[in-house]
Amino acid sequence: MTEPIHIMILILQVLIPLIISLILFSSTLKTRWRWLIAILLFLMISSPLSYALIYTYFNFPRQANISVGSITLFVWSSALVLGIIAIIRIAFIIKLVKKETTR
């Protein structure tokens, strides 16, 4: 596999779960700045991955490079935390709506 294709596949497999969890998380916010918050969270979480991929692309290491793997795990764990928070918030919203409709 060529190097640019490998990098694109890595970017897609890392950023798609992050984008999905950010969409879920931003949908639970009730502020008018929710998309700005989602974009800022995306940039903060994905910036280490971008730096590691650019650094690895231009300065190919001669030994094993563990930084891309560890940053990938960081992005996935951040996406998982945001997804769990979003699911909990959605569950509370559903519970609140059910409570208000039964009155």
Side-chain angles (χ1 to χ4, degrees):
M1 189 179 318
T2 61
E3 190 65 26
I5 293 175
H6 179 69
I7 290 175
M8 280 306 273
I9 290 172
L10 180 67
I11 290 171
L12 287 176
Q13 78 182 11
V14 171
L15 294 184
I16 287 175
L18 179 63
I19 291 170
I20 291 171
S21 63
L22 278 172
I23 290 172
L24 278 175
F25 181 75
S26 67
S27 68
T28 62
L29 298 176
K30 294 188 178 192
T31 179
R32 63 181 197 187
W33 301 101
R34 67 179 180 201
W35 291 111
L36 180 67
I37 292 170
I39 290 171
L40 287 176
L41 277 172
F42 177 77
L43 290 176
M44 287 187 328
I45 293 172
S46 65
S47 61
L49 178 71
S50 303
Y51 173 76
L53 288 177
I54 291 170
Y55 181 78
T56 303
Y57 184 73
F58 288 112
N59 303 317
F60 195 74
R62 295 171 196 239
Q63 298 174 351
N65 187 4
I66 197 164
S67 64
V68 175
S70 61
I71 291 172
T72 301
L73 288 176
F74 166 73
V75 173
W76 280 342
S77 61
S78 300
L80 181 68
V81 167
L82 282 174
I84 289 172
I85 291 172
I87 290 171
I88 290 172
R89 290 177 62 115
I90 289 170
F92 280 136
I93 291 170
I94 290 172
K95 189 184 230 183
L96 184 67
V97 168
K98 283 184 179 180
K99 185 187 265 187
E100 288 181 1
T101 57
T102 57
R103 287 185 191 181

